[in-house]
Amino acid sequence: MRRIFYSLAILAALFVFFALAHQSLIRIIVTKNLQSAFPESSVSIKGISFDPAGVLTINDIRIKRQKIYDFQIKRVRLNFNYPLLLRLQVPKFYLGDTSIAITTPQKSISEFASNLRVRPSPFKVRDAEISKLAVDIKTKELTLNANVSLEIEPVTQSLKRLDLAIKNLESQGALIKGLNLVLARQGSLEIETIQYNKAKVTDIRSAVQF
């Protein structure tokens, strides 16, 4: 009986050791990749959980460069299985409760993006879901305050669901306020105000076939 107990204790200890080792290794790899993609930024990750059955979860990621941008991601979850992983395919990617704040009033959004070093992933994601993404951008030619949730199939480039709310968008003389777009089984579009120079349209409402 003691031998069984000790054997189980050793197995449990080994499992915990390998799980913690995986978490530490994943944290190092993710942190280094993010630091490389976002030069001169600080990167922090609060929690990682790895389930060998096929789920990797990364919690509370923050990527910040003082007075330029601040990205906060509450949860990233990857569902995987090993046969597909060997073929560089991921069944499901989830990004939840994320805020993106960019403040570069002296530069355009393209100039800002040119300073990043984000490389395309070798993995193909079959299904991707973004939930509660808040965007606050202030650049030389664009002001945007919006929230979006969506689900797509990147491989086939098909959109499964979209919920977009634009509180305010200003760019090169154009203004949009109070836009709400839902693309699902029963889609809808509502716009409080669209304005371009002196032309102005208000209170637009329409059903959208999707």
Side-chain angles (χ1 to χ4, degrees):
M1 192 69 181
R2 282 184 178 181
R3 288 181 179 180
I4 294 173
F5 175 77
Y6 287 139
S7 297
L8 289 175
I10 291 169
L11 285 173
L14 286 171
F15 178 82
V16 171
F17 171 78
F18 283 118
L20 290 173
H22 273 301
Q23 291 174 17
S24 299
L25 181 60
I26 292 167
R27 184 190 297 271
I28 292 169
I29 292 171
V30 173
T31 300
K32 286 190 173 181
N33 275 275
L34 290 174
Q35 287 173 335
S36 175
F38 299 90
E40 300 180 48
S41 66
S42 63
V43 176
S44 63
I45 298 171
K46 285 191 177 178
I48 292 176
S49 64
F50 176 77
D51 182 351
V55 182
L56 169 65
T57 305
I58 307 174
N59 296 315
D60 296 307
I61 304 170
R62 189 167 190 180
I63 309 163
K64 184 177 181 180
R65 186 172 175 184
Q66 196 68 27
K67 298 182 180 179
I68 298 178
Y69 57 79
D70 189 358
F71 302 160
Q72 298 184 56
I73 304 167
K74 185 68 179 175
R75 182 169 290 106
V76 173
R77 186 172 64 243
L78 289 169
N79 293 75
F80 62 89
N81 63 57
Y82 294 100
L84 285 178
L85 205 58
L86 291 173
R87 292 157 54 188
L88 299 180
Q89 294 184 23
V90 176
K92 177 79 176 182
F93 169 83
Y94 173 84
L95 181 73
D97 295 301
T98 299
S99 67
I100 294 177
I102 300 171
T103 306
T104 57
Q106 306 303 319
K107 293 184 179 181
S108 67
I109 193 70
S110 59
E111 288 173 319
F112 164 79
S114 67
N115 293 323
L116 305 182
R117 298 173 186 169
V118 180
R119 298 176 181 177
S121 170
F123 293 93
K124 292 182 179 180
V125 179
R126 290 189 170 186
D127 188 83
E129 181 180 357
I130 298 174
S131 177
K132 297 179 182 178
L133 169 62
V135 179
D136 187 4
I137 298 174
K138 295 180 179 68
T139 67
K140 185 167 64 176
E141 88 288 18
L142 174 67
T143 297
L144 173 63
N145 191 286
N147 292 278
V148 62
S149 294
L150 61 86
E151 190 171 357
I152 59 173
E153 293 179 356
V155 175
T156 59
Q157 296 184 342
S158 59
L159 178 65
K160 298 171 70 175
R161 176 179 58 84
L162 173 66
D163 190 342
L164 172 65
I166 296 177
K167 297 177 183 177
N168 183 64
L169 186 155
E170 296 179 49
S171 180
Q172 301 178 342
L175 169 67
I176 297 176
K177 282 190 174 183
L179 181 149
N180 290 283
L181 173 63
V182 176
L183 295 178
R185 290 185 177 180
Q186 294 182 338
S188 63
L189 172 65
E190 297 179 1
I191 305 175
E192 183 183 316
T193 303
I194 296 181
Q195 186 173 338
Y196 184 75
N197 293 330
K198 294 183 179 180
K200 184 177 181 180
V201 180
T202 62
D203 197 21
I204 299 171
R205 299 173 185 272
S206 175
V208 178
Q209 296 295 325
F210 179 67

